[in-house]
Amino acid sequence: MFYQSTRDKSLKISSANAIVSGISRDGGLYVPDEIPALTEEEIIFLGGLSYPERAEAVFSKYLTDFTPEEIKNCVLSAYSSGSFETKNVMELKEIAPGENILELWHGPTCAFKDMALQILPHLLTTSVRKTGISKKVCILVATSGDTGKAALEGFKDAPGTCILVFYPENGVSAMQKLQMITQEGENVGVCAIKGNFDDAQTGVKKIFTDPEVAEKLSEKGIMFSSANSINWGRLAPQIVYYVSSYAQLVKEGKIKVGDEINVCVPTGNFGNILAAYYAKTMGIPIKKLICASNSNNVLTDFLKTGVYDRNRKFYTTISPSMDILISSNLERLLYHLSGRDDEYIKKIYSDLSKTGRFEVSDGIKSRLSELFSAGFCTEEETKATISETFDKYGYTIDPHTAVAVGVYNKYTEETGDKTPCVIASTASPYKFPAAVLESLGDKTAYKDEFEMADALYKKSGLKIPAALASLKSKKPRFTESVEKEEMLSAVYRMLQ
Ligand SMILES: *Cc1c(COP(=O)(O)O)cnc(C)c1O
């Protein structure tokens, strides 16, 4: 299998090369040149396997240039080394008949980003070795809060790598910020920018694709790569948990193989829900992909009208990891839905960068409405969903998961569709204790995040993740903050 750029399909490279490069030089994203299939027999077989084994099976279909041993080593280092708090890596909890919450936040940073970022460093260092590159790989990350910390944890002290993270100064939760500025490791750097996530992402993309920068670094024996979900090595691991969820529901007898499910995903950069689309294309019978947004509802409008328009007010919400107006991975979906028309993708993305807007063809619009349903939650609706879910089921959810549950509730009310559903739960409520407590009606003025966590524990009985509790005793290491125009000089400074 080869990987091609969404903006130039004549470019064909191995998965190892795609993972090392992150993004294509033409600004496009790498996608597999064919999407592998899963048979019903395979799905039944996967149900009897552990999570790492299921991951091995899925990777072997996408990373065809890796040896079975290489895949096995990556998978075991990521998922069987004790860094996840549950043995199963992910947990499926049925809170109401047919309503399954897919908990993806049992990793070391308590967000679903760990599912991919615990394995990406292993995939990347293996890829570097395979491609014979002798340069040091510098990972540049723009984060809306969770990717940064998950990437820092994944790459800290990984041989032959270093990692630099940019986050929006006022766009992450207090707990997320603490997690990043106290990061340990000899090869890490963290810097705030005066701007929002889109500014950080645009800045990083620009640095990546600037040939002058590449040359300067090359002289120093350094090359850039990406840990954002524009990297195929981030997406492949996310396909695994949708396949795994379906196989598990079959194994537990909750559905029969071949039965349809719906999947509902709280969406920002469109990586997580795109992974569900790949799972569907592989043969997992997903009826509707339900795309849930917060007040930054650019995707809701797009999926309903076919017009993508980022010229709108940007909101800072209680689900900060979804405060995004440019959803990078949408480009991959549109590439597939356009019949791999690279010229077309180049044109609409040039429209987007010139005018902040594009409109897709009628053919794509009708495909979108077959595949997707879309909705959003306001801040009030998100808080109400946290409170209702707690009252009804005694189950505590974070604000991102609440956006998904809220949109799912609206979907079932509007359509009456009671197909069993998997709802992606993307963060531990302890990452956002202030918003969760407020939603649950607790108006106490707590001293800090740790008092809040204790209060939330008393209320919910949910165990406080050890990784968050331990932040209390850690000293801040990274306090630098720069203008968005100064990101490149910050990179050079951090590389010294
Ligand atoms: C990153 C993130 C999201 C959004 O995922 P995308 O892949 O960017 O769509 C949702 N919730 C949480 C908690 C996240 O960290």
Side-chain angles (χ1 to χ4, degrees), residues 105 110-113 143-147 176 197 229 234-235 238 241 265-275 292 299 319-324 327-329 398-401 424-428 431-432:
W105 40 263
C110 311
F112 91 97
K113 304 293 198 295
T143 185
S144 56
D146 290 327
T147 299
Q176 288 176 314
F197 170 72
S229 54
R234 267 285 298 277
L235 266 177
Q238 299 185 168
Y241 50 73
V265 185
T267 302
N269 221 1
F270 211 76
N272 202 358
I273 195 163
L274 181 73
L299 284 168
S319 45
S321 301
M322 296 156 66
D323 291 345
I324 292 174
S327 300
S328 294
N329 275 296
D398 95 290
H400 303 78
T401 307
S425 173
T426 49
S428 158
K431 275 196 112 159
F432 308 93

Side-chain angles (χ1 to χ4, degrees), residues 16 136 140 164 397 445 450 457 464 488:
K136 177 167 168 176
L140 268 194
L164 305 174
I397 51 178
F450 304 103
Y457 173 70
I464 304 177
L488 182 57

Side-chain angles (χ1 to χ4, degrees), residues 3 57 63 68 71 81 129 146 240 242 341 345 349 382 410 417 421:
Y3 287 76
L63 312 179
I71 291 177
S81 64
R129 201 168 53 238
D146 290 327
V240 175
Y242 292 110
D341 187 343
I345 295 300
Y349 277 87
T382 307
K410 288 194 218 183
D417 180 5
C421 189

